[in-house]
Amino acid sequence: MSRIQLVKDDLTRMKVDAIVNAANQSLLGGGGVDGAIHRAAGPGLLEECRSLHGCSTGSAKITGGYQLPARYVIHAVGPVWRGGDLGEAELLNSAYETCLQIASQHECKTIAFPNISTGVYGYPKRAAAQVALSAVNNFLEANKVPELVYFVCFDPENYQIYQELLT
Ligand code: ADP
């Protein structure tokens, strides 16, 4: 079986060791998937996030999952799309890679990603999917853990793009 699986669902319902949040630098909550994760996890998550003092773009930080089915949340900060000449691809790659490193350090066998930066942050979806898949493929080639990576595509356009790129 492939170590990369595509899912059309709500990330907050995933029963995995870690889900990844598409967070902003403050880590203090936002809209989109971030808002959904905080609503589902309950107030304990925001409290722990406050103790982290933010996160830089291209990086990530881990917390507990609180009321989520997932044990951990890895809060990743993807870049805002500003035309592509400001290191957006490197920063997006780094966000995915950092999540995988953190997951591996915490012995997470399963991890689920949303489509980081492709909502409010405006990163073109196909280009973002190519970066995400290359970051994950490279990491999985070199590491045994995580064993399984889910891409959870909430919007049909992203789902279709991933379906094409994965076949
Ligand atoms: P960003 O600010 O990084 O662009 P957004 O949360 O605006 O983050 O969007 C990132 C992606 O998350 C979008 O593709 C959006 O469709 C998706 N998304 C929103 N809610 C959920 C959810 N509950 N589960 C999975 N994906 C979601």
Side-chain angles (χ1 to χ4, degrees), residues 47-82:
E47 210 171 296
E48 186 176 356
C49 282
R50 278 205 189 95
S51 73
L52 298 176
H53 305 294
C55 180
S56 52
T57 302
S59 193
K61 292 188 177 178
I62 191 166
T63 65
Y66 298 87
Q67 287 161 40
L68 289 163
R71 188 148 50 103
Y72 298 111
V73 179
I74 302 175
H75 306 263
V77 184
V80 175
W81 179 258
R82 292 199 170 92

Side-chain angles (χ1 to χ4, degrees), residues 20-151:
V20 172
N21 183 11
N24 57 42
Q25 287 185 343
S26 78
L27 299 184
L28 298 179
V33 74
D34 194 336
I37 288 172
H38 277 276
R39 276 194 299 279
L45 181 61
L46 185 58
E47 210 171 296
E48 186 176 356
C49 282
R50 278 205 189 95
S51 73
L52 298 176
H53 305 294
C55 180
S56 52
T57 302
S59 193
K61 292 188 177 178
I62 191 166
T63 65
Y66 298 87
Q67 287 161 40
L68 289 163
R71 188 148 50 103
Y72 298 111
V73 179
I74 302 175
H75 306 263
V77 184
V80 175
W81 179 258
R82 292 199 170 92
D85 293 332
L86 290 171
E88 289 94 333
E90 290 77 11
L91 289 165
L92 188 60
N93 182 74
S94 166
Y96 277 96
E97 199 179 85
T98 310
C99 288
L100 292 162
Q101 280 162 359
I102 292 173
S104 152
Q105 283 156 10
H106 286 77
E107 291 169 8
C108 295
K109 290 186 177 163
T110 53
I111 181 170
F113 284 98
N115 306 124
I116 301 174
S117 284
T118 68
V120 172
Y121 280 7
Y123 205 111
K125 290 179 182 176
R126 180 171 290 270
Q130 280 162 343
V131 170
L133 282 169
S134 121
V136 168
N137 274 320
N138 287 340
F139 194 90
L140 293 185
E141 261 173 38
N143 297 275
K144 287 204 163 74
V145 178
E147 292 172 359
L148 199 52
V149 175
Y150 294 93
F151 283 104

Side-chain angles (χ1 to χ4, degrees), residues 3-20:
R3 288 171 70 194
I4 297 181
Q5 297 287 313
L6 179 59
V7 182
K8 196 184 214 166
D9 201 353
D10 181 335
L11 187 66
T12 62
R13 289 155 40 93
M14 294 295 292
K15 293 188 184 72
V16 286
D17 292 322
I19 62 168
V20 172

